[in-house]
Amino acid sequence: MAHYFQALEDLNHTDYQNRYPDAETSYNNNAAISEYINIGVLNADLNMFRDDAVDIGALLIQGQDSLFYDNPGSSISPYDTYRNAFVATPLKRVSRSKNIIFKLQTDYWKETAQYNIQKLEIDFGDGNGYITVQKDQSIVISYNSYGEKEVKLKATFTNKTVKIVEATLKIVGFTNSKPLKNTYTPGTKLCSFEISNTFSSEHHTFQGYDESQAYSGRGSYENFSETECLTKPVIVVEGYDPADNNGHFALYDDLNKNSLGDNLISTNHDVITLNFEPRAINGKIVPGGTDYIERNAMVLVKLIEMINDEKTKNAEPTKIIGFSMGGLVARYALRYMEINNLSHDVDLYASVDSPHQGANVPSGVQHTVQLIDDLVPSWLNEELGGMEDELNYPATKQMLNYHYKNSSFYNTFYDNLNAMGYPQDTRNIAVANGSMNGSGINDINQKYYEGKAHLLWVLLNGKLRLNFTRNSGSARVFYWRVKSFGVNVHKREKSINTNPAIGSFENAPAGYVALDNLNDKVLDFSKIGFDWFVAGMSQQLSSEKFSFIPTKSAIDYQDDPYLFQDISANLVCANKTPFDTYFSIPFVNESHMYLHSETSDFLYQEILGNPQDPSGEFNLPYGSYYNVDLGSQTDLELDNTLPGRVPFPQTFPKNVKVNQVTPLGASSINWTLFSDDDNAVANWHHSGSYLDFDYHAHKTDADILFKYSFNDECDITRNIIYSFNILEPENGLNSLDDSYTVYPIPADYEINIVSENNDQDNSLVKLYDFNGLKVKEDTFNNNSELQINTSTLNNGMYFLEISNDNQEFMKQIVIQH
């Protein structure tokens, strides 16, 4: 396809008889067609000038334009080489249907060659071989499967020569296997809900900010439970999808990252995914996944009505989970129905990392996209040439806090959305993939991309550099320049000023998105069409991700706008979020829309009707168990294990320290020794959130329970039970095996240790006294024998430990002078 429009562009510029149309116009006309696929055909003769054409008088340079003209008085041809160019291809890369209409319209079939095409045959890759086709003919081809199809086009010319060209057509469809079918016993009414369907939002429409009339939206749904009778509907709404490539199975995969979808199906829920479909407006195809959020909300309104019509008599209210932009769609749809007295029968609205205060794409990336789009026509490379379109889709402009064209869509959308408020007849919950403690993604004003192109050897070179914004003040985020002989011949740059009261959107705590394909995009841009003079390209991407949905945006935080604030507290009772509850992994910034196992459980319990408390450092579950191995000593901060082990029994007390981080505003903090039936605790004390206790290590299998109590911001008393268990040692008291020999025993002034590992031993050797104090330490250092001086040590019992990466050995040693 790109070859066709590239050839058309070249022919349009070089044919002085103007027989070829403008490539950009032809490309746009073809792109607007969705009902069928054009077949493009070009047959042209190309003539190359002789090097001496002007010298021999075959060409004349005439007029003020200084162009070449044929010399009618010359009998010598000015052309040295004759070449025929034959280009034929389907003018779409992708089809979403297995039944395709192909057309060979005159507008896309151009011939100016000496020898015309006498017969054109096409093998559409459907298994039926070549068929002969004619100009202005339509052919219907039915494929049996999805995937890539190799299309071969064979032309026989009037001079009896034959040429064959090939192209690839990709047919996109659902190729994933479905989850197990849900079993259901029909209820009291006739059930007729189709498993999948594509539908219009009619009569619910929306008029866009730049449109002259209202339009309906299009959507499709897939019922992964395959139930015709709906008893427990759960609608999963797709997020931003600029290419409309994700589809239902990708959405179900997002839901099912940690088995949430399968768990819902196994408990007889009707899991129904909603995908927004493309449709034509004013002759232009508009991707559904980037259409106006309000129009997609009308699609959801229609689906809710369709589901309500098919619910059984005793069906539960519907639950809705909106991923990313889908959370805004669901919020708008539900509130729209309430305001307009339309019954939605939805009792749970779940927003998953949705931009309730906007989303972010780094400003430097946006200006790079603009640069690429300016320099690369869409017909030359559809993906690169159309990159800027993605930044100017309605939903993109509605959600981006910063837009490189200063679009007014953001303010218009959020002013309207906030004026409507949240749904009133639902429990509203949120998931944030960003951290709650204020830890960001990247360094402030970090340079995250630099590319250098070396063109025309040393004569011309280009540089592209991108930086993140600062937390306050101005920062240059985009810089592009081309130099020739050391002089700038083209330069662009952009600086962005950050409000210090908010901080850098590009580095804030957030659900993040990867930048890992930026290298490929810029490299493609740097090379495309210029392979003949690109001598080299070097690139460095120093950060692989950027903040996409800030944490405060995902939970619609209602207080201080500073994005890097620690908000590890109960924000519900503090009236700092409009949601009834929310969930976040407190110290972690996760990938946008990723459902962690704990996140999936949070949503699952809410869907089952079990209200969950707001998440945070303070909300550890009851019965958190911590195994304390003999001799361990550690600081504990929200870790489910206590690392470190010295695996041999000692009768003297060992120490454990615990620091339980509490939320901001917590009060009445207290530790209590809850249970110690074996009297394993030697002594203990606490101060605020800190606990320090000694235990008798020889009391193996003893259980020690401490209770940590505090009142949160809502003045609710919370109790966390720590259960420590003293484990049996993994190795016996004298567990030194045949790998080492120790002598003399008892030791006097030295201990000799011989390794059977020849001279490759790097084991570490430690000697402890009876109180557990380390008194000696040494290493073999690739030697087979090690000697430890014990002349200064007191008589008594000691413990010798030998350890390496693979194992540990322990032996009781007596020193007797």
Side-chain angles (χ1 to χ4, degrees), residues 404-425:
Y404 74 113
K405 286 188 175 179
N406 298 315
S407 171
S408 62
F409 279 29
Y410 174 88
N411 289 333
T412 301
F413 171 69
Y414 281 100
D415 286 347
N416 294 338
L417 184 68
N418 292 327
M420 293 174 68
Y422 279 78
Q424 302 296 302
D425 301 330

Side-chain angles (χ1 to χ4, degrees), residues 6 376 380-381 524-534:
Q6 172 73 71
V376 180
L380 183 60
N381 186 294
D524 289 346
F525 145 68
S526 302
K527 282 189 172 182
I528 194 159
F530 310 119
D531 286 339
W532 61 276
F533 69 79
V534 174

Side-chain angles (χ1 to χ4, degrees), residues 445-679:
N445 198 221
Q446 172 183 335
K447 180 180 74 175
Y448 60 93
Y449 178 84
E450 182 167 271
K452 296 179 181 179
H454 309 286
L455 316 174
L456 290 178
W457 300 279
V458 296
L459 302 182
L460 190 69
N461 63 77
K463 177 185 289 186
L464 174 66
R465 178 179 295 166
L466 305 179
N467 284 58
F468 291 122
T469 53
R470 300 182 186 275
N471 252 3
S472 63
S474 179
R476 188 175 70 177
V477 297
F478 167 81
Y479 174 74
W480 159 259
R481 65 111 175 95
V482 176
K483 282 187 175 183
S484 178
F485 294 103
V487 178
N488 285 337
V489 295
H490 182 74
K491 184 173 77 170
R492 288 194 195 181
E493 59 183 351
K494 181 67 176 179
S495 294
I496 301 295
N497 193 63
T498 300
N499 184 347
I502 297 175
S504 170
F505 279 101
E506 302 176 356
N507 307 288
Y512 64 79
V513 170
L515 280 165
D516 52 7
N517 67 344
L518 182 63
N519 276 346
D520 295 335
K521 297 290 187 188
V522 178
L523 186 60
D524 289 346
F525 145 68
S526 302
K527 282 189 172 182
I528 194 159
F530 310 119
D531 286 339
W532 61 276
F533 69 79
V534 174
M537 181 75 188
S538 61
Q539 299 191 94
Q540 181 181 8
L541 183 66
S542 56
S543 176
E544 295 183 353
K545 53 194 177 184
F546 65 87
S547 301
F548 187 49
I549 309 295
T551 303
K552 287 192 172 182
S553 180
I555 60 174
D556 204 0
Y557 187 78
Q558 298 295 308
D559 196 22
D560 187 344
Y562 187 60
L563 296 172
F564 295 83
Q565 179 186 8
D566 186 346
I567 53 174
S568 303
N570 190 322
L571 306 176
V572 175
C573 60
N575 293 319
K576 294 181 179 179
T577 177
F579 288 98
D580 298 307
T581 191
Y582 56 87
F583 186 86
S584 169
I585 304 296
F587 279 169
V588 179
N589 291 302
E590 297 180 306
S591 177
H592 174 54
M593 297 195 312
Y594 173 69
L595 292 187
H596 187 277
S597 58
E598 294 180 41
T599 314
S600 295
D601 185 65
F602 168 83
L603 291 171
Y604 183 58
Q605 293 301 324
E606 284 283 350
I607 292 171
L608 293 180
N610 303 320
Q612 302 295 293
D613 292 325
S615 69
E617 295 295 333
F618 55 91
N619 195 27
L620 283 180
Y622 285 88
S624 298
Y625 285 88
Y626 301 90
N627 290 326
V628 181
D629 290 348
L630 295 166
S632 69
Q633 181 172 346
T634 184
D635 289 332
L636 172 66
E637 292 194 10
L638 294 177
D639 201 344
N640 286 332
T641 60
L642 286 177
R645 181 181 71 228
V646 181
F648 62 95
Q650 303 172 33
T651 58
F652 49 85
K654 294 300 291 181
N655 180 258
V656 172
K657 300 181 188 299
V658 178
N659 174 24
Q660 170 60 65
V661 179
T662 51
L664 301 174
S667 61
S668 303
I669 299 172
N670 190 48
W671 286 94
T672 306
L673 180 56
F674 195 66
S675 175
D676 182 20
D677 295 338
D678 296 308
N679 295 317

Side-chain angles (χ1 to χ4, degrees), residues 747-751 765-770 773-777 787-800 813-817:
D748 187 0
Y749 299 105
E750 62 187 28
I751 298 175
V765 178
K766 298 177 184 178
L767 189 65
Y768 298 88
D769 67 12
F770 189 73
L773 180 65
K774 182 174 66 177
V775 295
K776 292 285 184 178
E777 180 175 330
Q787 188 177 82
I788 296 178
N789 188 326
T790 59
S791 61
T792 60
L793 300 180
N794 296 327
N795 291 341
M797 183 73 69
Y798 292 81
F799 297 98
L800 180 69
I813 299 292
V814 175
I815 295 179
Q816 181 68 50
H817 297 303

Side-chain angles (χ1 to χ4, degrees), residues 23 42 112 121 149 151 168 204 314 326 375 416 422 654 667 718 796:
L42 298 174
T112 58
E121 301 168 87
K149 308 298 177 183
V151 181
T168 299
H204 302 293
N314 298 318
L375 298 181
N416 294 338
Y422 279 78
K654 294 300 291 181
S667 61
R718 300 191 178 275

